[in-house]
Amino acid sequence: MTRRELDAAGITEPALRAAYAACRGLNARHGKTYFLATRLLPADRRPAVHALYGFARRADDIVDDTDTHADLGGAGEEHRSRLLGELTASLSTALTGGGSDDPVVRALADTASRYRIPAAHFTDFLASMRSDLSVTHYPTMRHLRAYMHGSAAVIGLQMLPVLGTVGPRDEAAPYAAALGEAFQLTNFIRDVGEDLDRGRVYLPMDLLGAYGVDRDLLVWSRGTGRGDPRITEALKAAASHTRGVYARAEPGIDLLHPTSRPCVRTAFVLYGDILDAVARDGYASVHHRSTVPRRRRAAIAGRGLVRAVTARRRRSGGFPRQAARPASAATPTPTATPENLTETTR
């Protein structure tokens, strides 16, 4: 329940509580895998994660002109650029203590203050979001990684102070950045068709070209509903590369605070399962989005919940004192099974 999370985090001011609740609603509606994993965190840490997700979602909706904001329907680049500029200015003001009327920005600024998240992480994120207004493809993986630094790697870096680490944060940072990239590459592979509809090809052209794939072939396949073995092989190669990024990121999970590991491990497994789903569907993501079966998601989340409960029971001393205003200890969690996952993680 939102109230319990906010109480645990020591967030008492009514308007600020409402702001965090708005972010939680965005996460629950749109970040199903992310939200499920977040619920494995101690209650006092969840509001901050909701705020980080909510802001990222707000910016992404602006540049993608999705149905989430009906008032953006049909918005051209100039209008979207103005909206993104307003969001950037609002955040800048809020981060320097000026406040904001936007509940998502207000919650994010509070989270940044509590956990001392560097403003540069948000600047880099917004720079990548702005590039989405005009950049429609990436020539090489090097170019794509430059984009993903702001769009994905810094998301992992934003999360580190909230999750906590068992050693110096700098040691965990490269792994957190890599995991952010792995998650986003997974989304790129799953969403090839949807991204094409927005005029974008995120998978690098040199990787696609090595298998004889270009934008015209992708558009033809999307438009006709017909597959092509060259596209299949290119997506297999992209998936193989992405699994390598997951492998580089995985050792970082053990560098996190023990009560955060079940959350991140669950997200790690569930996002990896998306690649398995794409493979089972014959790498047909030009035509449809592959999904992980609900039963599989529940099973993985259930196992994660058992680990989370165990970690909390062993907890002694709480999180490292990295927050400007440390949150209180989480309420003990009852014994969990997949069947009572929803109630236990509220």
Side-chain angles (χ1 to χ4, degrees):
M1 188 69 177
T2 304
R3 180 180 299 174
R4 176 173 172 261
E5 294 173 356
L6 296 171
D7 290 345
I11 300 167
T12 59
E13 198 268 317
L16 189 58
R17 287 170 71 91
Y20 274 103
C23 292
R24 186 184 189 278
L26 287 172
N27 196 350
R29 286 195 301 275
H30 303 293
K32 297 188 185 305
T33 298
Y34 198 83
F35 183 70
L36 185 61
T38 299
R39 296 177 79 172
L40 300 180
L41 285 173
D44 58 356
R45 297 280 151 155
R46 295 178 211 160
V49 178
H50 296 322
L52 292 171
Y53 178 90
F55 183 79
R57 181 74 196 192
R58 171 66 58 80
D60 194 56
D61 282 348
I62 288 174
V63 299
D64 282 350
D65 190 19
T66 67
D67 292 338
T68 303
H69 295 302
D71 58 313
L72 301 184
E77 181 180 336
E78 182 177 348
H79 183 58
R80 288 180 289 151
S81 177
R82 179 178 62 79
L83 291 173
L84 190 62
E86 291 173 353
L87 182 66
T88 302
S90 178
L91 178 63
S92 178
T93 299
L95 289 176
T96 54
S100 175
D101 293 332
D102 185 327
V104 172
V105 172
R106 183 170 184 177
L108 180 72
D110 183 71
T111 288
S113 175
R114 286 172 180 264
Y115 293 97
R116 300 192 181 103
I117 302 173
H121 292 337
F122 303 111
T123 300
D124 291 348
F125 169 73
L126 288 167
S128 285
M129 292 300 96
R130 182 163 291 280
S131 75
D132 273 333
L133 297 178
S134 56
V135 178
T136 60
H137 69 280
Y138 296 88
T140 68
M141 184 61 73
R142 178 176 63 85
H143 291 90
L144 180 61
R145 287 201 68 196
Y147 166 79
M148 288 195 299
H149 166 74
S151 64
V154 297
I155 302 298
L157 299 177
Q158 291 168 19
M159 286 283 292
L160 267 186
V162 179
L163 297 174
T165 57
V166 293
R169 194 180 301 165
D170 288 347
E171 292 182 7
Y175 300 101
L179 189 57
E181 289 187 8
F183 288 168
Q184 185 161 68
L185 284 167
T186 299
N187 288 340
F188 289 160
I189 293 167
R190 179 195 62 190
D191 299 338
V192 173
E194 294 178 14
D195 290 331
L196 271 176
D197 292 343
R198 300 185 182 106
R200 301 184 196 132
V201 177
Y202 282 107
L203 296 177
M205 304 311 294
D206 61 345
L207 182 151
L208 296 174
Y211 297 90
V213 179
D214 57 16
R215 178 186 288 270
D216 288 343
L217 181 62
L218 292 172
V219 171
W220 170 84
S221 181
R222 178 71 168 171
T224 63
R226 296 171 60 183
D228 187 286
R230 292 170 292 179
I231 297 175
T232 300
E233 292 305 310
L235 291 178
K236 285 182 181 179
S240 177
H241 171 83
T242 302
R243 291 189 188 281
V245 181
Y246 276 108
R248 293 200 301 273
E250 185 173 14
I253 298 176
D254 288 337
L255 301 180
L256 300 175
H257 189 276
T259 55
S260 292
R261 292 173 197 165
C263 163
V264 177
R265 174 66 65 181
T266 296
F268 179 92
V269 173
L270 287 175
Y271 269 91
D273 278 357
I274 293 173
L275 293 179
D276 293 337
V278 171
R280 284 195 302 272
D281 290 343
Y283 295 92
S285 49
V286 173
H287 307 125
H288 70 270
R289 169 187 282 215
S290 297
T291 59
V292 178
R294 181 175 297 180
R295 181 175 298 178
R296 167 68 175 174
R297 292 199 301 143
I300 296 302
R303 290 199 286 269
L305 183 58
V306 171
R307 291 194 295 269
V309 169
T310 301
R312 291 178 212 178
R313 286 176 173 169
R314 292 175 177 171
R315 184 178 180 180
S316 59
F319 279 83
R321 296 287 181 170
Q322 295 175 342
R325 288 172 281 170
S328 61
T331 303
T333 307
T335 302
T337 66
E339 288 73 21
N340 66 15
L341 175 64
T342 300
E343 183 62 31
T344 305
T345 55
R346 282 180 181 172

